[in-house]
């Protein structure tokens, strides 16, 4: 969850039209493989409460899917080493430019990284907890349309089972890895602008699934797993009433990270 080269005053049509590659909710993978297949149904279409125009404006796809490499290539592999250093440098510069644009466009709320990360972690926990409980109202508050639709469809697929999710703390503190802000009005203080921030979430979680007789059919409530996810948060910067919500995920790992 390589980065696209975007400048605040140049928005290419194919970027606006780019669709998000849906990433499935990762925590249920702890239990998913153990739940009977008949428990899950097909995905249904979702009708947003927002107008089609409003949805199209804020559903731009993931602007930049940059994820830092887990390990840096050795300098003996000079080609990969140089490419990695270039990508990291380019992302850092784009982050600085985007933070500057967010600060300029945020006429009602000043950007603060520490405060954002604290809010992002709480939003992430709320999303996981609401998904486990099947609380669609909370999910709609903390997620944007594409993510909400994805999780809501998964909730619809449950049949006579109860999910139980718990947060057990951090493996690492949440970290911002990518920031992007786009606006058709460039660096002007006024005008529409959207910001996206990708956060590395490395947390301890447990998941369990029970049937209607309260029998454990998936996961283990006593087994804590280290879960690494890259969560994309989005906010309409130019809207004083908007808040940071979960837009989607980037490059979610295919397997759990062993303790």
């Amino acid at each position: 969850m390589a980065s696209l080269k975007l400048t605040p005053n140049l928005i290419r049509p194919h970027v606006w039209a780019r669709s998000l590659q849906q990433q499935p909710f990762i925590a249920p993978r702890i239990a998913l493989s153990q739940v009977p297949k008949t428990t899950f149904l097909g995905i249904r279409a979702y009708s947003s409460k927002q107008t089609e125009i409003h949805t199209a404006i804020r559903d731009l796809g993931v602007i930049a899917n940059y994820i830092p490499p887990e390990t840096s290539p050795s300098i003996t592999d000079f080609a990969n080493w140089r490419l990695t250093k270039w990508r990291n440098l380019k992302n850092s510069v784009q982050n600085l430019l985007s933070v500057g644009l967010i600060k300029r466009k945020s006429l009602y709320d000043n950007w603060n990284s520490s405060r954002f990360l604290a809010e992002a972690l709480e939003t992430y926990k709320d999303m996981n907890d609401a998904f486990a409980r099947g609380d669609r109202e909370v999910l709609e508050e903390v997620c944007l349309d594409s993510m909400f639709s994805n999780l809501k469809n998964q909730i619809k697929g449950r049949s006579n089972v109860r999910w139980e999710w718990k947060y057990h703390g951090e493996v690492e503190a949440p970290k911002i890895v990518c920031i992007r802000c786009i606006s058709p009005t460039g660096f002007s203080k006024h005008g529409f602008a959207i910001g996206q921030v990708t956060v590395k979430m490395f947390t301890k979680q447990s998941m369990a699934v029970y049937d209607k007789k309260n029998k454990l059919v998936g996961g283990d409530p006593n087994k804590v797993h280290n879960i690494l996810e890259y969560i994309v948060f989005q906010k309409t910067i130019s809207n004083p009433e908007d808040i940071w919500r979960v837009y989607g995920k980037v490059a979610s790992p295919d397997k759990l990270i062993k303790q």
Side-chain angles (χ1 to χ4, degrees), residues 216-251:
L216 183 68
V217 294
D220 185 343
N222 300 314
K223 188 172 183 179
V224 178
H225 297 270
N226 293 347
I227 304 296
L228 173 61
E229 294 186 287
Y230 291 90
I231 309 298
V232 180
F233 295 85
Q234 178 173 298
K235 176 182 177 180
T236 304
I237 304 299
S238 52
N239 182 358
E241 298 181 356
D242 202 9
I243 60 174
W244 290 102
R245 294 182 173 90
V246 177
Y247 181 81
K249 303 180 183 183
V250 176

Side-chain angles (χ1 to χ4, degrees), residues 1-2 17-25 29 59-65 146-147 150 196 230 232 247-252:
M1 51 207 169
R18 185 180 180 185
S19 61
L20 170 68
Q21 294 181 348
Q22 296 281 350
Q23 295 288 341
F25 185 69
R29 293 184 186 178
D59 192 8
L60 308 178
V62 175
I63 299 172
N65 61 351
S146 58
M147 192 64 178
N150 184 18
Q196 282 188 0
Y230 291 90
V232 180
Y247 181 81
K249 303 180 183 183
V250 176
S252 296

